[in-house]
Amino acid sequence: MTARSHGLFGYRINAVGLLASAVILFWMFIALFGDQLTPYPPGEIVDFDYFGPMSGQFWLGSDYLGRDMLSRILMGARYTVGISLAAVVIACFAGVVLGMTAAVLGGWFDTCLSRFLDALSSIPSKLFGLVVVAGIGSSIPVLVGVLALIYTPGAYRFARALAVNISTMDFVTVARARGERTPYLITQEVLPNILGPVLTDMGLRFVFIVLLLSGLSFLGLGVQPPNADWGSLVRENIGGLAFGAPAVIMPSIAIATLTISVNLLIDNLPVRIRDRSE
């Protein structure tokens, strides 16, 4: 049997979930304090050998210019995690608020908003991101806004589907009968009953945003020099792939560990959190 541990509020999370949580917390810590942990300035050339191997001096080797890869990965975490987290918070907040409002109000508001967001979601996400970023220019606020806009329709559809089921229940009907207004119905009756699945969906969208941001950066339209996220580090060091250079392998491993850990955590959450909020 899989070992289990008691977590907060009496829920039990298995060992895989705890390990995934530890990895996620590690990268969150690095995103916050990575600039204080870098052994070298991220932009400074410190090695005379490009694509240097891992050693006692350079734990993750050096890149195509001789810069320390450990320092650059630690700083890159700030951009990858920070931009993705900001985008997913905006996307899920907007999508959930609009979804609950549409489910409670119904009528023409629900129909018009749903058709508009369905049309927006029909555009391939990477193509939409490439066109907008190429047209406006790449900057951190633009990246956050574009990523949030791409994933708002999905968050809306998910929240609306949950809220429609809740809004037909007896306790909501009673609240309507006693004259409660829409803001009360949304915040007091609907939201507490969909919060668990919404947070789970937020974690999945965070993974999608990390991968999309890394893809845009790999194509040269993400975080721009002298700053770099993990996708940018892979792109600028892709020439070392034939040599098995750590400079291209380690950023890829960083992306994989973060995204896989979030998925594993979600898969191993207690059913009462993952599937419904009780």
Side-chain angles (χ1 to χ4, degrees), residues 21-37 74 77-78 81 258:
S21 300
V23 175
I24 295 169
L25 290 175
F26 168 78
W27 284 123
M28 293 295 180
F29 176 83
I30 294 300
L32 290 173
F33 304 107
D35 59 331
Q36 302 176 29
L37 302 174
L74 292 178
R78 171 164 297 182
V81 176
L258 177 61

Side-chain angles (χ1 to χ4, degrees), residues 169-192:
M169 292 186 175
D170 292 341
F171 60 87
V172 178
T173 303
V174 171
R176 291 181 190 273
R178 66 173 183 260
E180 302 293 354
R181 297 184 178 273
T182 300
Y184 177 88
L185 296 176
I186 291 173
T187 58
Q188 302 299 319
E189 304 291 350
V190 177
L191 179 59

Side-chain angles (χ1 to χ4, degrees), residues 63-77:
D63 70 356
Y64 75 109
L65 292 178
R67 296 171 295 190
D68 179 52
M69 277 306 300
L70 176 59
S71 301
R72 292 184 66 75
I73 288 176
L74 292 178
M75 285 301 297

Side-chain angles (χ1 to χ4, degrees), residues 5-196:
S5 301
H6 287 279
L8 294 176
F9 311 113
Y11 292 115
R12 293 185 299 175
I13 302 177
N14 62 25
V16 175
L18 290 176
L19 178 61
S21 300
V23 175
I24 295 169
L25 290 175
F26 168 78
W27 284 123
M28 293 295 180
F29 176 83
I30 294 300
L32 290 173
F33 304 107
D35 59 331
Q36 302 176 29
L37 302 174
T38 54
Y40 301 96
E44 182 177 327
I45 297 176
V46 294
D47 189 6
F48 293 108
D49 186 17
Y50 64 92
F51 293 131
M54 294 185 288
S55 64
Q57 184 179 5
F58 306 110
W59 289 5
L60 299 183
S62 58
D63 70 356
Y64 75 109
L65 292 178
R67 296 171 295 190
D68 179 52
M69 277 306 300
L70 176 59
S71 301
R72 292 184 66 75
I73 288 176
L74 292 178
M75 285 301 297
R78 171 164 297 182
Y79 295 100
T80 297
V81 176
I83 292 174
S84 301
L85 189 59
V88 76
V89 168
I90 295 172
C92 288
F93 177 80
V96 169
V97 170
L98 291 174
M100 291 188 300
T101 304
V104 172
L105 291 179
W108 64 268
F109 179 83
D110 181 18
T111 301
C112 294
L113 185 59
S114 297
R115 297 295 79 77
F116 171 74
L117 292 177
D118 285 344
L120 184 61
S121 65
S122 66
I123 305 173
S125 58
K126 188 163 291 186
L127 178 62
F128 180 79
L130 288 172
V131 170
V132 174
V133 173
I136 299 177
S138 181
S139 65
I140 292 178
V142 169
L143 287 173
V144 171
V146 169
L147 293 171
L149 183 61
I150 288 173
Y151 286 99
T152 295
Y156 165 83
R157 290 199 305 271
F158 184 79
R160 180 187 174 278
L162 294 172
V164 165
N165 292 330
I166 298 297
S167 63
T168 59
M169 292 186 175
D170 292 341
F171 60 87
V172 178
T173 303
V174 171
R176 291 181 190 273
R178 66 173 183 260
E180 302 293 354
R181 297 184 178 273
T182 300
Y184 177 88
L185 296 176
I186 291 173
T187 58
Q188 302 299 319
E189 304 291 350
V190 177
L191 179 59
N193 290 283
I194 67 171
L195 187 58

